[in-house]
Amino acid sequence: MRYSRDLRGYGETPPDPKWPGDARIAVQIVVNYEEGGENSIEHGDAASEAFLSEIIGAQPWPGKRHWNMESIYDYGARSGFWRLHRLLKDIPVTVYGVATALERSPEQVAAMQEAGWEIATHGLKWIDYRDAPREVEAEHIARAVELHRQVTGERPHGFYQGRTSMNTVELGCEEGGFAYLADSIADDLPYWHVHDGRPQLMVPYTMDANDMRFSSGQGFGTGVEFFDYLRDSFDVLYAEGAAGAPKMMSIGLHCRLAGRPGRAMAIRQFLDHARAHEGVWFASRLDIARHWAAVHPHQPRLRPSQMDRDSFVARFGGIYENSPFIAERVWDAEMGAVHDSAAGLAGRMAQIFRAADEDERLDVLRAHPDLAGKLAQARRLSADSSAEQAGAGLDALTDAERAEFTGLNEAYMAKHGFPFIIAVRDHDKAGILAAMQARISNDTATERATAEAQVVRIATLRLQEALK
C-alpha cells in the first residue's frame, strides 16, 4: 500500500525562505469574497446556504430561500467588503474570489484591482464539493477560470476551492495554469507537491487565524479574542524568524464576518502591532509563490516510496547485510512520503527487522562478516562492508593487530554463535578493538540485543549515505 499523505514535511529543520529584505516573517492576508456565490435556489442550487454565517447551527432549507442568510451574505458585499477595503487597501492582499460572486460585484472587483490586490480563484460557486463527481468539479474549475478571466481581465494565478473534495488538489494540478494551489493547511511554509510527475507549488492556508471561528461553536466570541490570537501567532512566528527560521503567517478574513464593526477593530489592532516590528514582509500569496519558485525551485530527488519493487530491492536490499528480505517486506508494507528520508526509511526497515522471528534475526546477524577476517582478506565483502572496514582502518592492520582481531573474532563467535557486530563508522580501529575486548565477556542474551541494535545502527548510517 502506498500512503498518500506526507506527515514529515520539512522535518526538524525547515529551509530558510530567504524572504525579501531578510524579513523575519511574511504576513499574508486573504479576503474571501463569496457573497453572491453561495448556495441559493436563485443561483440554481437545491437549498439555501448554511455555512459561515452569524446563524450558528444553520441548516439548509431545501427548495427555499433563506432571507436572513441571504441578508447576512448581502452585508458582506454591501458593507463588510468596503470596511475591510479601507483597512487593507495599502497592503498586498490576496482575494479568494468565487467567480460567480465576482461577476455579481463589479464595483468591488474594480476596488480590488485599484488597490493592486491579487485576485485568486475561489472556484465557480461557494458550495461543498465533497460529493461532486470528479468530472463535474473539473468542469466547474474550468468554468471558474474562464469566468474569472472575463470579469477581471486575466486568468487567476492561484486556486483555493475551500470546500474541497479528495479530487480538488489533483484537479488543480491538472488544470496546469496555476502558480500555486492553496487547498492545504499542512505547513507554515510553501512546499512542492508532485502529481503525475509534475511539481505544483502549494502555499498553505489557515483555519485557525481565521475569522471563520466567529461562526463556530468553539471559536472567537469577541474581536479581543481574535486580536489576541493573531498577535500571539505573529509573536511566536516572529521570534522563530529572529532565531533563524522565518515562516509565513496566513490570516483568513470574510467580508460578512470580519467586516462587522466589532471585529474589524481586531484587524486594525493587529496591523498596528505588526507594523511596529522591523523585518515584516506583507505579501500577496502570488508574491510568496513567485519568490519561493525563484529561491527554492523544485528539486527532483530519489523517492523510495515511488520506486517499483525490483528497483527498490536492488537499491536497498543490501542495507541489512546480505538480507534482502528486509527490503522486500518494507516495499510490500505501507510506504509513503515519510519513508523517502533516510530517517523514515531507516525507521521502517528497523521495524521490519524487529518484527522478524528469532531465527530470521539470527540469520541477519550471521550474515555479517568478521571484522578484518578472512572474507576481508579475500576481498569478498559487500561493497558497504568493504568501505566501512576500510574507513576504520581495518584494511591496513599490522600482523600483530590482525592476529589480535582474529583471536577475538574466534573467541566471540565460539561463545555467542554469531560474529561481533559494531557500526564501524562510529569508531576508529582502537575503539573497535576496545569494544570487542569489553563485549566478549557479556552473556549471550545481552550481546544478542547489543548486536541487533548495532545492525539497526549500521543500516541507519548506510541509508544516510545512500539518501543524502
Side-chain angles (χ1 to χ4, degrees), residues 132-152:
R134 196 179 197 279
E135 61 274 15
V136 170
E137 187 175 5
E139 179 198 1
H140 279 208
I141 293 171
R143 288 171 58 192
V145 170
E146 175 55 22
L147 182 55
H148 189 107
R149 184 193 67 78
Q150 295 171 9
V151 171
T152 69

Side-chain angles (χ1 to χ4, degrees), residues 52-188:
L52 292 188
S53 78
E54 305 296 336
I55 307 172
I56 304 297
Q59 297 297 314
W61 289 7
K64 297 180 181 178
R65 294 175 64 182
H66 192 313
W67 180 266
N68 284 348
M69 184 65 71
E70 291 185 10
S71 295
I72 289 168
Y73 273 78
D74 291 349
Y75 182 92
R78 293 161 57 108
S79 296
F81 169 81
W82 297 108
R83 183 168 288 112
L84 294 180
H85 180 263
R86 289 191 294 273
L87 282 172
L88 301 170
K89 63 183 177 181
D90 297 325
I91 291 176
V93 164
T94 290
V95 176
Y96 286 164
V98 173
T100 50
L102 296 176
E103 182 183 32
R104 295 184 173 108
S105 301
E107 293 182 34
Q108 291 90 333
V109 170
M112 296 170 194
Q113 293 178 318
E114 184 177 350
W117 291 355
E118 176 207 358
I119 308 177
T121 186
H122 198 359
L124 181 67
K125 304 174 71 172
W126 178 230
I127 61 174
D128 194 339
Y129 283 92
R130 62 182 170 177
D131 295 323
R134 196 179 197 279
E135 61 274 15
V136 170
E137 187 175 5
E139 179 198 1
H140 279 208
I141 293 171
R143 288 171 58 192
V145 170
E146 175 55 22
L147 182 55
H148 189 107
R149 184 193 67 78
Q150 295 171 9
V151 171
T152 69
E154 64 173 334
R155 68 153 290 145
H157 300 290
F159 172 43
Y160 176 72
Q161 186 84 284
R163 297 161 80 173
T164 60
S165 74
M166 288 304 294
N167 298 315
T168 300
V169 169
E170 289 185 358
L171 292 172
C173 294
E174 291 167 11
E175 196 278 340
F178 295 116
Y180 71 90
L181 306 182
D183 279 302
S184 170
I185 319 160
D187 215 295
D188 296 314

Side-chain angles (χ1 to χ4, degrees), residues 177-219:
F178 295 116
Y180 71 90
L181 306 182
D183 279 302
S184 170
I185 319 160
D187 215 295
D188 296 314
L189 289 172
Y191 63 91
W192 292 98
H193 170 76
V194 177
H195 173 62
D196 283 347
R198 178 182 179 273
Q200 172 66 64
L201 187 63
M202 307 294 291
V203 181
Y205 189 43
T206 176
M207 295 294 182
D208 64 309
N210 192 311
D211 66 2
M212 68 180 287
R213 293 179 60 198
F214 282 110
S215 66
S216 65
Q218 185 278 321

